[in-house]
Amino acid sequence: QVQLVESGGGLVQAGGSLRLSCAASGRAISSLAMGWFRQAPGKQRELVTTITSGANTNYADSVKDRFTISRDNAENTVYLQMNSLKPEDTGVYYCAARRTLFLSVRYVSWDQYDSWGQGTQVTVSS
């Protein structure tokens, strides 16, 4: 079982930046497909970005060109750099992971992941 611990959330003004971290234990992240999801109050959990086992990335249209997912295999940590933040980016951000044998397969639905962090709150004020 993979354990995930997120950090880095907080309160920021619109236009600002935050970097979220997701530290994994129990398995090397190079063997995992991982993703960031977010959930705003009263809304469903939605995909933000994914990174495949082979380090290919994809992004929701709403965050493209503003957010960047990356990973550090030595630290066994995945990062989410968020720039040009908007009030609509507010929500609880969750890191997710799943084991995979496929380097380039993307998993874009929350129910395709079986390991989750506790979530970190991101609040963007206008």
Side-chain angles (χ1 to χ4, degrees):
Q1 186 71 12
V2 178
Q3 290 79 44
L4 303 172
V5 178
E6 301 108 332
S7 60
L11 173 64
V12 65
Q13 288 189 331
S17 298
L18 283 174
R19 188 176 81 155
L20 306 183
S21 300
C22 174
S25 60
R27 196 164 186 91
I29 59 173
S30 57
S31 67
L32 301 172
M34 299 188 70
W36 286 95
F37 291 76
R38 67 187 180 190
Q39 189 165 18
K43 294 189 176 181
Q44 290 190 330
R45 191 170 299 190
E46 65 174 0
L47 173 72
V48 177
T49 178
T50 67
I51 184 165
T52 68
S53 172
N56 296 310
T57 61
N58 84 305
Y59 300 88
D61 288 343
S62 59
V63 306
K64 207 168 289 184
D65 300 324
R66 298 188 298 122
F67 290 12
T68 303
I69 188 171
S70 62
R71 73 184 192 196
D72 184 330
N73 290 344
E75 295 292 327
N76 221 40
T77 299
V78 170
Y79 301 97
L80 179 63
Q81 178 66 45
M82 306 186 294
N83 299 327
S84 301
L85 282 160
K86 304 175 180 180
E88 51 264 43
D89 295 318
T90 295
V92 179
Y93 282 68
Y94 297 92
C95 177
R98 62 163 289 157
R99 291 186 292 176
T100 179
L101 298 176
F102 306 106
L103 291 176
S104 59
V105 172
R106 293 197 303 253
Y107 301 91
V108 298
S109 176
W110 66 269
D111 58 359
Q112 294 177 302
Y113 292 85
D114 51 23
S115 296
W116 290 85
Q118 80 285 0
T120 185
Q121 176 71 44
V122 171
T123 304
V124 184
S125 63
S126 57

